[in-house]
């Protein structure tokens, strides 16, 4: 009897896991990696009124929130270089940040109660971020006001740059910093997203 | 030079080939454990990998070794009936009486050189030049081992379907 399937074809035809199995294996791997201390950065995405958000966390806390326009792949690549390439998609470490952000967008939360990892901001930029946390929900402050508040009244432009490079937008509310002329100014998520957030907070 | 990519990218690109290597040697059930062991070991070592490395070859090699570890562990595990299978001098497991029709048992029982060449070439689809580099041999020798392995399987494995 002629054979139409040969050994080498059988070997080449050994099946890869189906998508469901692949997802289950990935989740198990992320859990084991976390237990073994090998999961340096976990990430997930979250849908929001300002577009899909990338959330990334180290064991120390939430380290990065990124808007779609920043390019989530590009952000992950830069995290691989600046923190560690041991990066896996993982829901669990980000359950709490995702839930609190959902509550924020549902207007059920005005303050975030999360562990934050500020390792992506140093020195002056970190001082600016620390101050931003003091601007209350629904309020705004000018870039000049921020510079003055951290004792560097001449550093208005640098304060603007620090806000623009905030690694933790939304959670550290750089959207509450506006220009002295009353226009809303730049935002990592786009001016439209900033407007959406300020309107949402003002309406609450 | 660009740095290492996020490990998740490596996982999503190479997860399938690693699973196929594990399945070729262990069958579908044990393959999942070997797959997880492979990626856990790879994740541990990943930060020190050179960014220009052959990532697929690297992972396939780890998958092969982890699968062989599982074969040995299975061989050592107590069995309700038969005797403990012999380990040959070089420590490679020779399955006693491979279950008929099970491709992975036939692959697992190949002599080590043929087995690795067959798995690297026909399951993982690596070019002979890569296999030679991974096995510390020449492309011609790798090609010969793979051909011998296929001939051997053809002789002993009767699962080829009409």
């Amino acid at each position: 009897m002629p054979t139409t399937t040969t050994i080498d074809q059988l070997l080449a035809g050994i099946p890869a896991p189906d998508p469901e199995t692949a997802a289950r294996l990935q989740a198990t791997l992320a859990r084991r990696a976390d237990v073994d201390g090998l999961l340096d950065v976990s990430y997930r995405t979250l849908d929001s009124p300002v577009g899909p958000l990338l959330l990334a966390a180290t064991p120390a806390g939430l380290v990065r929130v990124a808007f779609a326009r920043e390019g989530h792949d590009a952000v992950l690549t830069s995290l691989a270089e600046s923190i560690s390439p041991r990066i896996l998609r993982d829901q669990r470490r980000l359950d709490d940040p995702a839930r609190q952000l959902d509550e924020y967008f549902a207007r059920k939360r005005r303050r975030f109660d999360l562990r934050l990892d500020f390792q992506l901001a140093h020195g002056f930029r970190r001082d600016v971020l620390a101050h931003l946390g003091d601007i209350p929900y629904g309020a705004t402050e000018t870039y000049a006001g921020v510079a003055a508040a951290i004792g560097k009244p001449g550093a208005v432009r640098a304060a603007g740059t620090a806000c623009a490079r905030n690694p933790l937008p939304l959670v550290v509310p750089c959207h509450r910093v506006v220009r002295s002329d009353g226009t809303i100014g730049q935002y990592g998520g786009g001016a439209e997203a900033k407007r959406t957030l300020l309107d949402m907070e003002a309406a609450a | 030079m660009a740095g290492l990519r996020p490990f998740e990218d490596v996982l999503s690109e190479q997860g399938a080939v690693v699973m196929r290597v594990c399945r070729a040697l262990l069958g579908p059930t044990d393959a999942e454990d070997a797959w997880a062991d492979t990626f856990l070991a790879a994740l541990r070592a990943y930060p020190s990998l050179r960014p220009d490395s052959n990532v697929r070859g690297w992972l396939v090699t780890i998958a092969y070794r982890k699968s062989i570890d599982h074969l040995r562990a299975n061989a050592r595990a107590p069995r309700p009936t038969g005797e403990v299978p012999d380990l040959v001098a070089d420590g490679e497991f020779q399955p006693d009486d491979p279950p008929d029709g099970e491709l992975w048992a036939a692959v697992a029982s190949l002599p080590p050189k043929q087995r690795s060449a067959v798995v690297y070439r026909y399951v993982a689809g690596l070019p002979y030049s890569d296999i030679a580099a991974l096995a510390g041999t020449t492309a011609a020798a790798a090609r010969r081992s793979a051909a011998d392995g296929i001939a051997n399987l053809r002789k002993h494995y009767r699962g080829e379907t009409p």
Side-chain angles (χ1 to χ4, degrees):
Chain A
M1 190 186 297
T3 59
T4 54
T5 307
T6 58
I7 284 280
D8 49 330
Q9 286 170 329
L10 283 174
L11 292 169
I14 291 171
D18 58 58
E20 200 175 304
T21 304
R24 175 173 55 78
L25 290 168
Q26 194 281 350
T28 306
L29 178 70
R31 252 198 317 281
R32 284 182 63 183
D34 197 9
V35 169
D36 288 5
L38 297 174
L39 186 48
D40 295 340
V41 180
S42 338
Y43 74 92
R44 61 164 285 175
T45 52
L46 176 73
D47 285 329
S48 87
V50 290
L53 301 171
L54 175 76
L55 312 181
T58 67
L62 189 65
V63 75
R64 187 76 164 88
V65 176
F67 296 98
R69 72 202 295 269
E70 298 175 77
H72 289 175
D73 285 347
V75 170
L76 287 169
T77 299
S78 91
L79 291 177
E81 283 168 18
S82 57
I83 299 178
S84 163
R86 285 180 182 147
I87 299 180
L88 286 175
R89 186 178 281 278
D90 169 45
Q91 298 287 335
R92 285 190 323 154
R93 202 184 276 171
L94 293 153
D95 272 352
D96 208 27
R99 182 177 49 77
Q100 294 195 23
L101 280 162
D102 277 338
E103 290 167 358
Y104 168 72
F105 288 117
R107 296 181 188 170
K108 289 175 184 157
R109 172 175 291 276
R110 291 171 170 242
R111 285 193 75 86
F112 292 98
D113 179 20
L114 294 168
R115 287 190 309 139
L116 302 180
D117 180 345
F118 281 106
Q119 69 169 290
L120 297 175
H122 300 280
F124 176 83
R125 283 173 54 199
R126 189 150 170 177
D127 293 343
V128 169
L129 299 184
H131 169 68
L132 295 184
D134 297 335
I135 308 175
Y137 185 95
T140 57
E141 191 168 298
T142 63
Y143 292 106
V146 170
I150 59 164
K152 302 268 175 59
V156 178
R157 182 176 290 272
T161 303
C163 289
R165 294 194 184 155
N166 175 11
L168 292 162
L170 300 167
V171 176
V172 174
C174 58
H175 59 276
R176 293 176 194 150
V177 184
V178 297
R179 291 164 57 144
S180 308
D181 65 6
T183 59
I184 64 166
Q186 296 301 304
Y187 190 53
E192 198 180 327
K194 191 171 184 176
R195 180 87 271 158
T196 301
L197 295 171
L198 291 175
D199 289 349
M200 181 187 84
E201 292 189 6
Chain B
M1 186 172 62
L4 290 162
R5 297 181 306 150
F7 194 76
E8 181 72 32
D9 292 0
V10 172
L11 182 63
S12 59
E13 280 173 20
Q14 312 294 346
V17 70
V18 165
M19 181 54 95
R20 295 182 57 255
V21 166
C22 297
R23 282 179 174 172
L25 288 157
L26 297 169
T29 313
D30 286 350
E32 292 199 4
D33 286 340
W35 184 94
D37 290 349
T38 298
F39 277 108
L40 218 51
L43 182 62
R44 190 179 295 278
Y46 189 55
S48 53
L49 187 71
R50 284 179 41 174
D52 59 351
S53 298
N54 173 358
V55 174
R56 171 168 292 214
W58 175 66
L59 282 169
V60 164
T61 311
I62 300 173
Y64 184 82
R65 289 196 193 125
K66 292 293 177 188
S67 298
I68 300 298
D69 287 349
H70 273 262
L71 282 177
R72 288 177 181 155
N74 291 349
R76 277 193 298 270
R79 295 181 180 193
T81 53
E83 67 266 27
V84 180
D86 292 328
L87 294 177
V88 294
D90 68 353
E92 294 290 352
F93 169 54
Q94 304 286 313
D96 52 338
D97 193 20
D100 201 45
E102 290 186 353
L103 183 60
W104 53 90
V107 174
S109 64
L110 286 173
K113 268 188 202 166
Q114 293 179 18
R115 182 175 60 190
S116 61
V118 163
V119 170
Y120 289 163
R121 177 66 195 136
Y122 289 97
V123 182
L126 296 178
Y128 286 116
S129 54
D130 286 5
I131 299 169
L134 294 171
T137 179
T138 64
R143 185 187 295 273
R144 214 155 40 236
S145 296
D148 289 348
I150 290 293
N152 220 334
L153 282 176
R154 206 164 268 148
K155 222 181 311 171
H156 297 293
Y157 175 70
R158 312 206 181 283
E160 286 183 291
T161 55

